[in-house]
Amino acid sequence: MRLSPGHPVTSVVFLLPRGAMAATVRTQRRLAYWALMAVLLADLLALSDMLAVMSVDLGSESMKVAIVKPGVPMEIVLNKESRRKTPVTVTLKENERFFGDSAASLAVKNPKATLRYFQQLLGKQEGNPHVALYRDRFPEHELGFDPQRHTVHFQISPQLQFSPEEVLGMVLNYSRSLAEDFAEQPIKDAVITVPAFFNQAERRAVLQAARMAGLKVLQLINDNTATALSYGVFRRKDINTTAQNIMFYDMGSGSTVCTIVTYQTVKTKEAGMQPQLQIQGVGFDRTLGGLEMELRLREHLAGLFNEQRKGQRVKDVRENPRAMAKLLREANRLKTVLSANADHMAQIEGLMDDVDFKAKVTRVEFEELCADLFERVPGPVQQALQSAKMNLDEIEQVILVGGATRVPKVQEVLLKAVGKEELGKNINADEAAAMGAVYQAAALSKAFKVKPFIVRDAVMYPILVEFTREVEEEPGVRGLKHNRRVLFSRMGPYPQRKVITFNRYSHDFSFHVNYGDLGFLGPEDLRVFGSQNLTTVKLKGVGESFKKYPNYESKGIKAHFNLDESGVLSLDRVESVFETLVEDSPEEESTLTKLGNTISSLFGGGTTPDTKENGTNTVQEEEESLAEGSKDDPGEQAELREEGEAPVEDTSRPPSPEPKGNIAPEGEKPVDKENGEKPEAQKPSDKGEAGPEGVPAAPEEDKKQKPSRKQRAVEEIGVELLVLDLPDLSESELARSAQKLQDLTVRDLEKQEREQAANSLEAFIFETQDKLYQPEYQEVSTEEQRQEISGRLSAASTWLEDEGFGATTVMLKEKLAELRKLCQGLFFRVEERKKWPERLSALDNLLNHSSMFLKGARLIPEMDQIFTEVEMTTLEKVINETWAWKNATMAEQAKLPTTEKPVLLSKDIEAKMMALDREVQYLLNKAKFAKPRPRPKDKNETQAEPPLNASDQGEKIIHPPGQTEDAKPLSEPEKEIRSEPADTEPLELEGPRAESEQEEQPPRQKPVLKNDEL
């Protein structure tokens, strides 16, 4: 963590002497350091519970959840069944909900209330072909019609209905609960994967579902991009400046997506050379996947079952929803088994009318059933190559992703289509997207710092602006002219911000935001795509802005668009911009203007060519260009440019004189190629438009313009949006849906609490009834006590069976509290007797060690004694009192019957041990840090014994009287003289150890005398 810039720092200076000033400065620094540490610690403690982030890989059939938290880098969350993936299935009943595996198991019993594969209904209106396809695949579900939004909802019962967004919100809320249980802390930030082919309506539907669930979506990341990111993160060392083109073929349960990704290292201004992935091409098939194969198998099995019962005048199995749910589950299992075996026996017990079903299915039959599906396998590959403008020779490797790619026939057809020797299987086909998404979540979160990995995603569907205005076609003849301006081109990088400028408008007008050319989609895909018109924008207040600034020159109406990280388009604002020339004195020009230009350049006010060449910024930038209405009529024009995150003041001219189409951000294409190759900065300006900010056009012009400066005025224009593709939920409707889901969550929690209370009561009854017959419980209780407890337990068990279903949580908890209070004495006596042996043994050991320590302390000579008499007396008193308490309490306990409350309590034993241990530890710590006392010198000693290495150290040796300096000192007699006196204390030995060695020396005096005689 770092302190945010801009905090004021106040300095106080005192006039002090040099030494005092230095000390004061050190004190201030020390105080400031500790104050800063305290603030940082408080921030860390406040944020410690909100550091985790999560990702949700939303598949058609199942989802994977991953988290990142301190100490847990990128881990897949296990669900309640300890599985790494969870079915995207919800069972909705009147009073309860089920998710995941529990809901999947109920699909057979209650197929109408179990919702699956509902993601294909997101963002779809009632007439969409996918709605009809869902009805055909799952006829047991009743889809109602919403007249306001023209969408559908699930009609579970007359009182119970949910929209697809609400059902998805339930799933997201459940995924968050799994992540929070796994991380053991609350989580709010998430990155959610969506299919790359999701359009604007579908992406907004997912965001609305996340809002209902209370999740803060950091980003909607395309699942193919998340997979590519996961692949690159774990192979960072293999990425270099040489571009590597990798194809990911992802066939899941509901759809197929083929993606071409380019990996290479690029140079960034902030971190130098960093790895980057860029999406070059994408192809997809919305309905090609494992689910369609399972549906074909289900239909085949249903036909076999009807043939087996032919002639029995029974109804078709297809009319029985439960039987069809069983067949779909068996088809799923059969598809998995046939991927590894040539044939398998399909068998279902009690399929319908208590009739068992058994039939043999071979892999050849399965491949014949899905022959037309396998023919569609190469389709996404060709689409991806066309959008990337590449051929197969440029692809280095094809990597399989998704569960349906495990079907052998899919791999065979794909291998033939790509013309490679083998298909790459060196990635986790199920978890790659979840791991890539959680890495992106950690990168977007402020709580983590990860190694940079630049992600440049691609726009799937082009977006353009259309507007109409009157023009004079001939003298005196006026007509309407329709103009189209491409905002975001197909396969262009995003996120991006762009500004389109409408010139020659002086009154309120409107324009339309629509999808661009969708010719790459087939007729069926276009029908599924839905409305190609996004929004109609009505501007209000344009005329008033011109009246407000009559003496200013209009620079046009500028509309600021943003295609954010989630691929969702928004209109940030619309402004009417005016400029005029204001005369200034030369002095002001020479001082204030220069100072302003300097500050602007220091703080990034100007735009430099380096910024334009960096194609790895989070928000792409490109030079401004003019989008001509037509080559014949260059006067009718609208300006279009891309902007950075911070809006540039002057948007009427290009910020740098770079030629368009020659030097552009890496991997980025110019907005409109039909503007010509002439650099925009070199075009003559009839209106005297300003040049790039902070960069003068020429020295002569600078000198001429010195006496005047440009003043700019910006007026906000009112905007009215009319959404055309799919109306969004209003804030009130979103709030109602969120409250609806919250009420269901509270109801589920209350239900879980009640079930837990009932289970606890039932478990207590059975466990206690069993304990009453155990010897250790019979030993401490009388027959009457056991009969009373047994009777109360039996009555509670009967009440639970008869009235427990209607009992509230409070009633169940009160009943359990009564039984625990009744059995409290019995359990207490048993527990105390279990603790006695261990506690008493520990107390005896502590008493023995304490007594030995006290005895040793008293044996220390007075000269070396470090303990006072009061301290040793206190310890002796505590030891004696503890012995006395133990003996008295045990004697009293021996007199009591075992059925009475004991007087010897384990907590009292622990308290006595703590008091005794505290006294001993005090003395031990004192001995540990005590310093030895200095020794007084002996009065009879006139010289000190010279050290053995005195001559080596250059010290002067003092000789005894009568001995010359040349004479050798006799070492042996000196040793003898020092050892003979019994009361002479050696100087080398100190402390208690010296005493013990001194006492051992008299027996060794005889050998010394014998040596002296020799």
Side-chain angles (χ1 to χ4, degrees), residues 733-760:
E733 291 173 332
L734 271 174
R736 283 197 298 269
S737 296
Q739 186 61 43
K740 183 179 180 181
L741 299 189
Q742 181 65 25
D743 294 341
L744 291 175
T745 302
V746 171
R747 188 192 68 182
D748 292 343
L749 293 176
E750 292 176 351
K751 179 176 176 293
Q752 293 176 6
E753 186 181 8
R754 186 197 172 281
E755 290 177 351
Q756 185 176 1
N759 293 337
S760 299

Side-chain angles (χ1 to χ4, degrees), residues 966-987:
D966 298 334
K968 276 189 177 181
L970 298 177
S971 58
E972 199 65 23
E974 288 180 3
K975 185 176 179 181
E976 177 186 335
I977 293 171
R978 287 197 302 271
S979 60
E980 278 183 348
D983 54 350
T984 303
E985 200 169 26
L987 295 178

Side-chain angles (χ1 to χ4, degrees), residues 532-560:
Q532 298 185 31
N533 301 320
L534 286 172
T535 309
T536 296
V537 182
K538 297 180 180 181
L539 302 183
K540 297 181 179 180
V542 177
E544 287 77 359
S545 66
F546 277 82
K547 294 177 182 179
K548 191 173 181 180
Y549 301 97
N551 299 327
Y552 282 65
E553 180 186 0
S554 174
K555 291 299 179 181
I557 311 299
K558 299 183 181 295
H560 297 254

